[in-house]
Amino acid sequence: MAGGRYAYPYGPSPTDESLKLRNSKGLNRPCLWLFSQAKYATEYKATGKWKPPEQCSELIKDPSIERFGWIRENPDIYFKWKPRTVRNGLIFMVAIPGALLYFLKKMEQRRDVQQGKPPRPLI
């Protein structure tokens, strides 16, 4: 990966990857909304060339947002088991559901006792 201001140190450039995918599937179609924008329509009439889809937007892509999106789409490449990920996993997959189960079951048992029924087992 090349260095520089807009290099993607966490993987390939998302733009390059999407262009490779588009070219490999033969999706060299023009922007569908090209003629609805007068600027692009007149440019097409003048040059006779389609603009590629990544140039059909007036917005400038922020490389940091693109990099964040690429990392979010490919978590399996850069995921590592660290103390923080283990802690978060235990909290969100064991502690919170376990606490909810415990308190809801206790509430159910209290309601059973108030209604004169024998309390149901915890699990």
Side-chain angles (χ1 to χ4, degrees):
M1 286 169 259
R5 183 173 179 189
Y6 296 112
Y8 292 90
Y10 300 107
S13 167
T15 307
D16 295 341
E17 290 298 309
S18 62
L19 288 175
K20 280 185 211 172
L21 181 66
R22 188 191 75 187
N23 292 336
S24 70
K25 292 187 176 183
L27 301 175
N28 292 324
R29 291 177 284 186
C31 298
L32 297 176
W33 45 270
L34 185 69
F35 292 107
S36 65
Q37 297 180 355
K39 178 169 57 171
Y40 294 122
T42 54
E43 194 173 314
Y44 172 71
K45 287 178 185 175
T47 61
K49 295 179 183 176
W50 293 106
K51 269 190 156 185
E54 60 273 2
Q55 293 178 1
C56 290
S57 174
E58 293 296 321
L59 300 176
I60 298 172
K61 290 183 179 179
D62 185 1
S64 59
I65 294 174
E66 293 294 317
R67 181 172 53 246
F68 173 77
W70 192 90
I71 291 172
R72 290 284 298 208
E73 291 169 3
N74 303 294
D76 53 325
I77 298 173
Y78 298 103
F79 179 78
K80 293 178 184 170
W81 284 105
K82 299 176 184 174
R84 178 180 175 183
T85 56
V86 172
R87 182 198 69 215
N88 287 345
L90 288 174
I91 288 172
F92 292 112
M93 290 186 260
V94 176
I96 292 176
L100 279 172
L101 174 71
Y102 178 77
F103 288 116
L104 290 175
K105 283 295 198 174
K106 281 294 183 184
M107 194 166 48
E108 195 175 60
Q109 287 176 345
R110 270 191 240 119
R111 189 180 314 132
D112 286 345
V113 169
Q114 286 174 352
Q115 293 175 352
K117 300 177 187 174
R120 296 177 224 182
L122 190 60
I123 293 183

